[in-house]
Each structure stands twice: as structure tokens, then as C-alpha cells.
Amino acid sequence: MTQNLDLTDIQGNIIKAYGAYNYQKARYLFLRIDKGDKGRKFVGAITTKVTSAVPWEKSSKDTDSAVKPQATTNIAFTFAGLKALELPMASLRGFPEDFIMGMAKRKDILGDDGPSDPQNWDNIWKEEVHAWISINGQSIDAVIKRYDWVLEQIKASDGGVTLLTGHRGENGEDDLPYQDASVLYDATGTPTPKEHFGYTDGIGDPVFEGQINVSARVLGRGKLTREGNWEPLATGEFLLGHVDEAMEYPQTAPAPWLLALNGTYMVYRKLHENIGTFNRFLEEQSKHFPGSKEMLAAKFAGRWRDNGAPIVNAPDDESKERWDKQYAEADEAGRKKMLTDFTYNQDITGAKCPYSAHIRRINPRGSLEYGVKDAYDTPGALVNRRRILRRGLPYGEVKDATRDDGNHGIIFMALNVDIQRQFEFIQQQWINYANDFKEGNDKEVLLGNHDANNPGKVVLQVEPGSGKPPHFVSKIPRLVETRGGDYFFIPSITALKLIAAGMVDPT
Amino acid sequence: MSNIAGKAYAMNVITPIRWYMVWINRLIFKIALNRPSTLKGLITLSLIHYARWVIIPRNAFPRLDENQPKEDLNYAYMLFFSNFNGSWDQYVDSFTFAIPAGLDLFWKWNVRYPKSVPLTPFHDYIRHNQIDTAHYYNAYPMAASNDVKSAKKVKKALIDFNAVSSDKAPDDFLKDYNKLLNDLQLQLGEMKPTPIVSLSSYEVKKRYEQTQTH
Ligand code: HEM
């Protein structure tokens, strides 16, 4: 079943990863709604500039598309925010438990302990956050211009809403009124798809029904069929009001229908990267690793740092050279295919891409059948309901690569219709635990909430029957720490107008 | 009361079957047991510790004691008893997506069984017929069935290794040891306490522990 999405109604950040459209800069604002009526008026004002998912024009004759703006704007709310906007109780009670509780209260589910505990988060998270506004810009000037416009609307709300402060910044500040994010640049000032550990990011994002140009993008990004083909996932995995993989409408939708339709939930997480520890750890571990340091780094993530080559198809230094050569000779479509079109089914022992690798843990593709022919209804049975859209960007700057205490990491945003079933499941069962991978409690190397007093290990599998021992990566330190975040509802543009007009009526 | 103990969740579901349909279910069970391929999905699912289906005839519903009056039942019943790793939702989700046809086959003749997909009616059916666990003891709270399976392999391999290799010269010993590690490379996960899969059950546990320390 193919359906056309109403792109004029869907907020643009759901469908587009702006970073991939040359929006190199972003600024995230968090607000408190102090007065219902003035708050709703403010939402109405912001809605006039909210960016929809309509494709941007390629030529001026293209009438179905919009002009690509210098800056985009999107808005979302926490449960407390929707309450402050005075949504009727009959609507509020239809939201799911995870969203109602918010991220900090879910810390035991998420493993946000020790340095990731909410008490160590940026100050802003010590207050009740109600709304999130994002600005993505093609330049920092465009971001600032739109930011100034938002400030004017806040002022015009006349005490209706307050911009919250308390973000940590570059120079030791802890009271900034916004969180900036930016793509990273190489030495020549050219934008790159890198994050601070040096990995190439932003390659794989799920493809679902109703998106544009699905057939060109679905390879390795949709769901795997029994025949070994890729098909787009059901729309209802990512947008409320559409049929999901269980052939029903997502149960996480509030009433009325128009409030939910074309909306979704967003997980916002500020993830600090311990750069010094990562570099020392990689250096130390690679001393007794039978392969290069880069190969070891690739084993952690499942992709090589320099160009994102999937390690399952380039498992060692030698095969990587061959892969690179082939990649250099491939055309645009061929390159995309090389980056995304793979499974782990030829690697059931993990000898190429270890079970602990970030991308294998987070999207095992068909491999949870463990090579048992036709074990499940479909090879992706345990995976297709655990997918998330990623919409993040790096933040901060690494000024001293030997230290952890700067302000650098990833603003991670995951979009899904069911936070508990999709994002939280991945975080809890696949990152911080490994029963599904038959690896007991071994946590994923990069993201696991490793305990300094009782550090964990992972096993990097080798070719079975080779007589060679697997490689043990032990004493893994905490490489990524949570610095804040919450769960948000991203309404459709229709729903924003209803909220702004105070016309949400679930009867 | 909690359905969770350590890494295991205990689920009891008891569903009525029209007594004259029981023979079909017995036949289905028999075929399933004789043709292992019908159960391979179930066996491959990492989160399942144990699963069993039992038919209780209309006139054989167990009583605790001779003195407990016999009930006059209209239906026979199917008892589904399962221990699994993770939360109720995680389990029911994985179960339905992995083996929808198998579930439909086993429950097909049960009264008002809705089919396993779409999910919500199936959820409701299971929850409606589930009997919560009043008392649940788990001797190995840190072990999931995968951990037990791995531990058994490691134990056997180590005993064999000790018998064959313990007296070998260093070089040969090393070779054997490396081979041992290679053979066991998929069995070496560490066993630690369970992640918190259900906040409600975690609260129950915390409150219980409080009563123990007073
Ligand atoms: C600082 C933290 C993180 C770093 C450095 C990081 C890094 C990466 C890298 C390098 C890739 C490979 C590029 C790609 O396939 O697009 C990737 C992919 C991915 N990451 Fe992360 N990541 C982080 C946090 C997270 C978190 C918290 C989640 C979810 C809970 C997540 C989910 C994913 C997913 C779903 C993919 C795509 C996997 C696939 O479809 O094959 N990441 N990440």
C-alpha cells in the first residue's frame, strides 16, 4: 500500500534531516508557558513560520514545491507544556505514560546513572521545560535572524512565555539561553559529516511509505524481506494516524484524531562525548589489537571512521583498501548502495562486524534469526518495530583532544511514534544489555553506561575454526554521558493551529 | 506480588476452549512436537526462557485438596505458561512479530481468540486471560536462559580442555587455549543484574526491600 503524505501538514524536521540539505547550523530553544491564553497566542505566531515537509523547489517552474528558506523553524511540546496550554483533560489522558513522565523520570529505564544522572544535567533541565523550538540555518546569520524574530514573539507574548536559560557553553558558561549545534568542518573549512570521535555519521535513516523517491533510497534502510529485498517501513512507525507494522493505527495517539494525525514523538538528548578518554582508550586498546587502530575504531561503530565503509563488507585493513578502491570508482548511486545496502546474514558469528558494534546493536537488520532458515515470519520481525529517525547534529568544539571536560557531543534527536517500544527499547535492551545478542550484560562500547567501579568488556569475534582467539576489549570507560533532554510531541501544522486557537476538542 | 523476578517474567494465561474442540488442539500439539521445524521460531527467540501449553479437560481442573468442591465447568481450558526475559510489552511484541502463524495455530480454537495481528486485540486477549503471579521465586535472578546455555557450554569445554591440555608444553597449551577461546567466543557474555524493564515492578521491589530492612 502506497500512500501520499500530506507534506503541507507535517513539520519539516520529521521528514528532512536538515543537515543533509546544507543547513549547517542549528539553535534549540526551550520555553516555559506561563499563561495559557498568551501561550496559545504565541504558538499561533510561531506557527506562521513553521517549516513544513513540502519539498524545496529544484526549478522555479516547479509549482508543487516551496522555495528553500535560509532558516527553518519547528516546534514541539512536553506533556507539561500541553497542560500549560490547557489542552482538555480528555486529550491529555490519551498520551502515553513515557511521554507523560518525561525523560528524567525514565532514568532507570534508560540507564542514566552516575555521570549521566539527571542531577548532573545542564541547569536548564532542573526546571520544567514546556516547549522546544528549533532553528536550522544555512548560515549562522540566518539562524540569528530567526532567533531574534522568536525573541520578538516572546516579548510580544507579554509574560505568556519565558525563554529558559541554563545550557552549558563553550567557555564555561552554564546559563546560556539556547543550545547551538553545527556540522563539523575540516581544516579547510569544508563541512563534513563527522562527529567528535571522528566517525562519519548520518548515513542510515529509515525509509518509510509515503516518502519521496523511496525506491532510490530504500536499500539497507527499509525493512528486509524474506526474498532479500528492501521495502519501505509502514508510515505508522514514524507518524501518528497512519497504519504501522502491526497493521493498526498507533495506540499512542491522543484524541481527537486531528490532534494526533501527522504528528510524532521526539526524544531530545544532549550527549556529551568524553574525547580525551575515547582517544586514550582507543590508543591503549589498539596496542594489543591484531590490526590497525582505525580497524579497532571501526569494530566499535560498525563503520570505518574515514568514509563510513560498513565493516561487515570491509572487515580488516586489507579488505578496506579494496573497498575504498571500488568506492572511488563507483558512481553516486553505486556509492550510496555500498554505504547502506548490507545485512549481517553472512556474518552470523560476528567475525566481520562484532555483535557489540554500535550499528549492529542498534539496527541488527535481519540477523536476529541467527541464520536459522525461516525462523520468523519475516527476517526483520524483531527489528522493524524498533526503528527511529535520527535528526541530530554535533555541538561544541574540541579544544583539547586529551581532555573530557569541554563542551562537545551530539544533540541527538530520535523520532518515533512509540518512545517506549522504539527508542527506549534500543537504549535499554540493545545498548545497555545484550540478551538478544546472546552476549549477556555486555554493553555497547560507545554508548553503554559503563560503570567506572565495575567496568565491562566486549568480545570482538574472529573467524570461527581459525584457531585464533577473539579479541577482548576490556575495562571500557563511560565514553558518552547524558547532559539533558526530554520527550516532546511534534504536532502537525493543523494540530498547532488547533492548539493555538484553543480549539482542541476530543468529544 | 510481581510477575518479575530477576531477569524472568512469569506469565500464566488460561483460555477457554469448547470441550468438543480439544482434540484438534491435541492433534496440533502433537504435530508440533513431532515436527521440530514448527517450533524453530520459538526456540530461536532469545528472550524466551521456557514456554509450555497444556490442555486441561473440562472435568479435570486441578483442585488444591480433595475438600475443594469440584467445579462444574462449561469449557475445557488451555494453560499457557511462559517465563521470559524483559517486560510484558517487549515479550508480547516480539512474540507476535516473530511467530504470528504459530500463535494463531495454537490458540485458533480458543474462545474469542482474535488472531495475533493486529496487535491490540491480541494484547487485550492475553491481558484479559492472564493470571498475575502472586508468588515467584527465582533461584538465579541474574541468569537468562541464554546465559545458562552458554554457561553449560563453557563448563563442558573447560573440563574437556583441562583433561586434554593441562599437561601440555607451553606452546601447545597456548594453541589449545586459543582454540578454546575461539570455540567459545559466542558464549562469553558477562552476567550482571537485569536492566530495569518495568518501573512499576521496580517500585514493588524497592518497597519490598524496604520492608525487609526494618
Ligand atoms: C554520542 C553518541 C553517538 C555517536 C557518536 C553515534 C555514532 C554513530 C555513527 C558513527 C553511526 C554510523 C553512521 C550511520 O549509519 O548513519 C551511527 C548510526 C546510528 N546510530 Fe548512533 N551515535 C550516537 C548515539 C546514538 C543513540 C543514543 C542512538 C539510539 C538510541 C543511535 C542510533 C543510531 C542508529 C539507529 C544508527 C543507524 C544504524 C543503521 O541503520 O544501520 N545513535 N551512530
Side-chain angles (χ1 to χ4, degrees):
Chain A
M1 182 186 54
T2 326
Q3 46 181 325
N4 288 325
L5 298 178
D6 182 358
L7 297 174
T8 57
D9 192 39
I10 301 169
Q11 290 207 46
N13 60 325
I14 301 179
I15 302 292
K16 295 172 183 155
Y18 292 134
Y21 292 84
N22 194 39
Y23 290 84
Q24 299 174 17
K25 302 286 177 192
R27 182 166 286 185
Y28 307 110
L29 319 179
F30 296 88
L31 302 107
R32 186 180 64 232
I33 293 153
D34 296 310
K35 303 221 169 61
D37 51 348
K38 290 177 177 174
R40 289 193 294 275
K41 214 167 144 219
F42 170 80
V43 172
I46 297 295
T47 303
T48 62
K49 284 249 198 285
V50 160
T51 309
S52 79
V54 169
W56 290 312
E57 71 184 9
K58 293 205 182 71
S59 74
S60 51
K61 287 194 204 79
D62 195 346
T63 48
D64 280 344
S65 51
V67 179
K68 185 170 169 182
Q70 281 300 310
T72 65
T73 306
N74 293 99
I75 184 165
F77 306 96
T78 61
F79 183 74
L82 295 173
K83 229 161 67 181
L85 288 166
E86 298 170 331
L87 253 67
M89 186 53 77
S91 293
L92 291 172
R93 65 189 285 274
F95 283 99
E97 179 190 329
D98 41 46
F99 173 68
I100 292 175
M101 291 178 80
M103 186 185 284
K105 291 210 177 96
R106 307 287 287 177
K107 66 174 190 169
D108 293 320
I109 294 272
L110 299 172
D112 282 336
D113 58 6
S116 298
D117 190 282
Q119 71 189 37
N120 300 318
W121 290 4
D122 284 9
N123 286 332
I124 185 162
W125 302 105
K126 289 165 191 155
E127 302 178 57
E128 195 173 79
V129 169
H130 287 167
W132 164 92
I133 293 180
S134 70
I135 301 168
N136 290 66
Q138 302 202 46
S139 66
I140 187 68
D141 292 343
V143 170
I144 291 172
K145 200 166 150 215
R146 183 59 56 88
Y147 172 66
D148 289 340
W149 177 82
V150 174
L151 291 182
E152 278 167 34
Q153 307 313 306
I154 294 173
K155 203 157 160 230
S157 83
D158 187 25
V161 301
T162 308
L163 180 63
L164 297 174
T165 60
H167 300 278
R168 268 179 261 207
E170 272 329 87
N171 304 304
E173 309 93 329
D174 62 2
D175 59 351
L176 293 180
Y178 50 75
Q179 173 69 55
D180 271 345
S182 165
V183 301
L184 302 185
Y185 300 90
D186 68 13
T188 68
T190 314
T192 71
K194 301 269 177 213
E195 54 70 55
H196 292 296
F197 288 153
Y199 291 100
T200 303
D201 202 355
I203 302 169
D205 211 26
V207 168
F208 57 93
E209 271 182 38
Q211 276 180 311
I212 290 167
N213 208 1
V214 161
S215 57
R217 301 193 299 165
V218 76
L219 294 179
R221 295 170 57 182
K223 58 179 175 189
L224 188 62
T225 66
R226 183 55 72 204
E227 294 72 38
N229 302 321
W230 295 95
E231 281 175 3
L233 289 143
T235 314
E237 293 298 313
F238 307 103
L239 278 176
L240 296 168
H242 297 264
V243 173
D244 65 15
E245 284 290 328
M247 302 207 286
E248 62 185 13
Y249 293 104
Q251 301 295 304
T252 49
W257 185 246
L258 273 186
L259 177 62
L261 178 67
N262 289 332
T264 195
Y265 295 98
M266 176 180 79
V267 173
Y268 176 99
R269 261 163 106 69
K270 180 175 183 176
L271 298 175
H272 176 78
E273 298 183 86
N274 286 327
I275 303 298
T277 301
F278 175 80
N279 287 331
R280 276 188 297 279
F281 178 65
L282 182 60
E283 198 64 52
E284 194 55 40
Q285 290 284 329
S286 61
K287 280 185 195 147
H288 49 99
F289 175 70
S292 67
K293 180 168 119 182
E294 281 310 313
M295 178 175 155
L296 182 63
K299 293 271 180 186
F300 295 166
R303 291 188 184 276
W304 291 77
R305 290 204 287 187
D306 59 346
N307 56 13
I311 194 160
V312 70
N313 286 339
D316 50 31
D317 294 297
E318 216 187 320
S319 54
K320 170 66 164 36
E321 261 178 54
R322 282 197 301 275
W323 193 95
D324 284 349
K325 214 165 142 242
Q326 207 187 334
Y327 188 70
E329 287 160 4
D331 60 10
E332 172 91 9
R335 287 184 173 201
K336 275 205 176 123
K337 190 168 150 56
M338 285 180 77
L339 284 174
T340 61
D341 188 13
F342 59 90
T343 69
Y344 304 108
N345 290 343
Q346 308 307 318
D347 186 32
I348 288 306
T349 59
K352 297 187 174 101
C353 181
Y355 276 100
S356 56
H358 180 58
I359 68 167
R360 186 163 186 166
R361 280 286 180 96
I362 268 168
N363 179 9
R365 298 171 185 236
S367 64
L368 294 180
E369 282 191 315
Y370 289 93
V372 177
K373 203 169 160 282
D374 299 342
Y376 307 145
D377 196 40
T378 173
L382 301 185
V383 181
N384 298 344
R385 301 262 289 166
R386 316 287 184 196
R387 305 289 299 276
I388 50 175
L389 300 170
R390 285 178 302 144
R391 294 288 177 265
L393 275 179
Y395 71 87
E397 209 182 302
V398 177
K399 292 175 180 154
D400 181 347
T402 67
R403 298 175 65 110
D404 289 340
D405 58 357
N407 181 59
H408 32 66
I410 289 180
I411 298 299
F412 173 82
M413 288 176 282
L415 276 52
N416 49 215
V417 298
D418 191 335
I419 295 171
Q420 176 173 319
R421 164 164 62 78
Q422 293 166 286
F423 165 72
E424 286 187 347
F425 180 92
I426 295 174
Q427 184 75 30
Q428 174 195 87
Q429 290 286 316
W430 290 351
I431 291 174
N432 288 330
Y433 186 48
N435 187 57
D436 279 353
F437 305 94
K438 307 187 187 186
E439 295 197 310
N441 285 71
D442 289 356
K443 296 168 195 217
E444 195 248 90
V445 179
L446 296 176
L447 288 176
N449 60 346
H450 307 287
D451 177 356
N453 298 319
N454 187 7
K457 63 107 184 48
V458 297
V459 180
L460 304 183
Q461 291 88 11
V462 293
E463 215 43 68
S466 64
K468 286 192 198 134
H471 184 76
F472 294 86
V473 179
S474 49
K475 296 214 179 84
I476 307 173
R478 179 97 48 123
L479 298 170
V480 171
E481 298 172 3
T482 313
R483 284 283 164 86
D486 214 333
Y487 294 159
F488 294 85
F489 172 60
I490 311 180
S492 70
I493 292 169
T494 303
L496 281 176
K497 289 178 182 163
L498 287 177
I499 293 171
M503 274 172 41
V504 174
D505 182 358
T507 53
Chain B
M1 183 208 81
S2 175
N3 293 304
I4 297 183
K7 282 181 179 165
Y9 183 115
M11 180 189 264
N12 315 282
V13 178
I14 183 153
T15 45
I17 314 186
R18 289 189 183 82
W19 59 268
Y20 48 86
M21 290 296 194
V22 160
W23 68 273
I24 300 186
N25 252 75
R26 287 198 198 282
L27 189 68
I28 291 168
F29 288 174
K30 202 164 170 179
I31 295 171
L33 282 176
N34 287 333
R35 290 207 1 239
S37 68
T38 43
L39 296 176
K40 68 184 168 190
L42 192 68
I43 290 162
T44 310
L45 274 173
S46 277
L47 80 169
I48 295 190
H49 293 187
Y50 177 87
R52 182 163 185 164
W53 284 262
V54 179
I55 303 275
I56 306 171
R58 190 162 56 133
N59 54 8
F61 210 86
R63 288 178 297 157
L64 290 175
D65 187 276
E66 285 291 292
N67 295 327
Q68 183 180 345
K70 226 174 167 176
E71 278 179 272
D72 198 11
L73 297 172
N74 294 322
Y75 293 103
Y77 286 88
M78 185 166 93
L79 169 71
F80 171 60
F81 178 66
S82 156
N83 280 198
F84 55 85
N85 181 83
S87 73
W88 192 97
D89 282 310
Q90 290 168 0
Y91 170 72
V92 177
D93 264 10
S94 300
F95 219 51
T96 33
F97 291 106
I99 49 170
L103 299 181
D104 288 348
L105 188 67
F106 280 15
W107 264 288
K108 187 172 175 136
W109 305 100
N110 286 238
V111 174
R112 300 229 172 161
Y113 176 69
K115 285 193 93 171
S116 55
V117 179
L119 193 61
T120 304
F122 178 74
H123 258 217
D124 294 347
Y125 176 80
I126 295 288
R127 195 63 201 136
H128 181 77
N129 291 299
Q130 183 178 349
I131 296 176
D132 284 316
T133 310
H135 193 80
Y136 188 17
Y137 172 73
N138 185 339
Y140 300 98
M142 288 208 290
S145 65
N146 278 341
D147 300 317
V148 176
K149 283 185 222 161
S150 292
K152 283 174 71 180
K153 280 190 196 150
V154 171
K155 182 176 175 187
K156 179 171 185 310
L158 266 180
I159 290 171
D160 294 351
F161 171 74
N162 191 41
V164 175
S165 308
S166 56
D167 293 331
K168 286 194 180 173
D171 282 354
D172 290 337
F173 181 88
L174 182 64
K175 217 172 126 209
D176 287 6
Y177 181 65
N178 285 341
K179 180 175 177 304
L180 174 76
L181 290 178
N182 183 291
D183 290 344
L184 292 175
Q185 64 174 347
L186 296 175
Q187 275 83 39
L188 298 175
E190 224 166 313
M191 224 167 63
K192 288 183 179 172
T194 176
I196 307 302
V197 294
S198 150
L199 288 179
S200 345
S201 148
Y202 185 47
E203 292 300 325
V204 170
K205 184 164 169 269
K206 281 199 291 202
R207 283 193 291 264
Y208 173 75
E209 279 163 3
Q210 273 168 13
T211 62
Q212 295 302 294
T213 52
H214 291 158

